[in-house]
Amino acid sequence: MDAHLRELRYFVATAEELTVTAAAARLFVSQPALSKQLRALERRLGFELFQRLPRGLALTDQGSALLPVVRAMLETWDRGYVEARALSHPRQLVVGMQTAIGRDLQRPAVQRFRERAPGWTVSLRLVGWDDPTAGLADATSDVAFVWLPVPEELATRVLIREDRWVALPSGHALADRAEIPFAALLDEPFVALPVAAGPLRDFWLALDARPGSALIAAEATAADEVLELVSAGVGVALIAEGNARLYERPGLTFRPVPDLPPAELAIAWRRTDSRDIVHLFVDSIG
């Protein structure tokens, strides 16, 4: 019997949450996808891990016996993978990001880190929105600049809070307004992050401020893709105020949406990663 690491991670998260809804939100996957993966794992194992109750789940005897073993195995794998990857690129710290950072954060942080850790190099890695952890989940990044929310397995420190703005095609009927209340955008088609972005996709669609669902015109996995679709008139998109300045270009208009809570940019790292070099980089950020 072979079980995939992803399925085992899904098992542990679901066992700790005991509801598919909460586990799916924590894992940044859809509920149907999580349920399907759990059923597939149970079929491979030859026994059920969960009792499906009218409200929530309960571990079976087999699930209870397997849980501590799987937890220990995943912790050992994660630790071993990080150590093995470090041997391939000794004294190199990989910093993940999903968009251009700007805001005078990245450059001085890298400079301070290199002064404090002579002999170490920093590699910057751009990761698509389909991975909201910017490479931390699969350990291809050591630390990352991310927009919240992120999975609970990551530790974070908020660096900046910024108002959310909307990106519109320059000829849009709302483009001549100084600011745009979110109610005026409810019927607009939106360019969304991919489904794999989970709660991060929901945040940039402002689902918690809507009476219903959002009208999705297209999906994009990178900031440039989002803005190309907006400038082409496919839809509109919410964006952080600082990114509105970073990505300014012909054919686009950016306006504040004053009645939405702000976005939060953070530095993140794996809670299980206790290496001093990771925390040295985090402490290098002003």
Side-chain angles (χ1 to χ4, degrees):
M1 188 285 305
D2 291 322
H4 302 298
L5 283 174
R6 178 178 294 178
E7 291 175 334
L8 296 178
R9 294 187 196 280
Y10 287 1
F11 163 58
V12 170
T14 306
E16 291 174 349
E17 300 293 344
L18 289 179
T19 73
V20 173
T21 300
R26 169 175 160 180
L27 293 164
F28 279 55
V29 299
S30 68
Q31 294 180 43
L34 176 57
S35 295
K36 181 179 178 180
Q37 292 294 325
L38 291 172
R39 288 292 190 188
L41 176 60
E42 289 175 324
R43 284 196 298 272
R44 261 196 287 277
L45 293 171
F47 52 79
E48 291 190 346
L49 297 167
F50 298 99
Q51 300 176 40
R52 275 72 177 178
L53 305 175
R55 293 189 177 183
L57 303 169
L59 281 167
T60 62
D61 290 342
Q62 297 94 324
S64 296
L66 202 58
L67 180 58
V69 177
V70 174
R71 275 192 183 127
M73 186 188 72
L74 290 174
E75 289 173 3
T76 301
W77 167 262
D78 289 342
R79 187 165 55 249
Y81 177 76
V82 169
E83 291 172 357
R85 187 173 64 83
L87 293 174
S88 300
H89 303 282
R91 301 179 74 79
Q92 180 186 73
L93 191 81
V94 180
V95 180
M97 59 188 69
Q98 294 153 332
T99 60
I101 300 301
R103 299 161 176 85
D104 203 30
L105 289 173
Q106 176 184 303
R107 180 188 54 77
V110 171
Q111 182 177 341
R112 280 193 290 269
F113 172 78
R114 294 178 69 180
E115 291 170 352
R116 297 175 179 181
W120 279 77
T121 61
V122 174
S123 174
L124 302 179
R125 178 170 180 261
L126 191 62
V127 183
W129 290 112
D130 49 350
D131 177 7
T133 73
L136 291 173
D138 61 5
T140 52
S141 298
D142 298 304
V143 295
F145 291 97
V146 297
W147 291 98
L148 301 184
V150 293
E152 293 178 2
E153 286 74 16
L154 302 185
T156 61
R157 176 160 67 85
V158 174
L159 305 175
I160 287 178
R161 291 180 176 86
E162 293 182 347
D163 291 336
R164 277 182 279 182
W165 287 37
V166 64
L168 308 158
S170 294
H172 195 282
L174 298 173
D176 59 350
R177 297 193 185 188
E179 58 182 31
I180 301 173
F182 189 63
L185 299 170
L186 291 177
D187 295 328
E188 292 289 331
F190 267 69
V191 178
L193 305 188
V195 173
L200 191 64
R201 167 186 164 110
D202 297 346
F203 178 82
W204 290 109
L205 290 171
L207 288 190
D208 59 346
R210 294 176 181 271
S213 59
L215 175 61
I216 307 300
E219 293 183 352
T221 59
D224 285 320
E225 293 176 20
V226 172
L227 297 175
E228 285 296 325
L229 288 165
V230 172
S231 64
V234 174
V236 304
L238 294 174
I239 189 169
E241 179 181 358
N243 281 357
R245 297 188 178 94
L246 281 173
Y247 288 97
E248 189 174 359
R249 63 187 69 183
L252 288 174
T253 297
F254 299 98
R255 294 289 182 265
V257 183
D259 49 347
L260 289 178
E264 295 181 318
L265 178 65
I267 187 70
W269 62 100
R270 291 179 297 279
R271 293 187 187 276
T272 56
D273 193 343
S274 59
R275 290 177 297 159
D276 291 340
I277 200 67
V278 167
H279 296 281
L280 183 63
F281 184 86
V282 172
D283 292 340
S284 297
I285 302 173

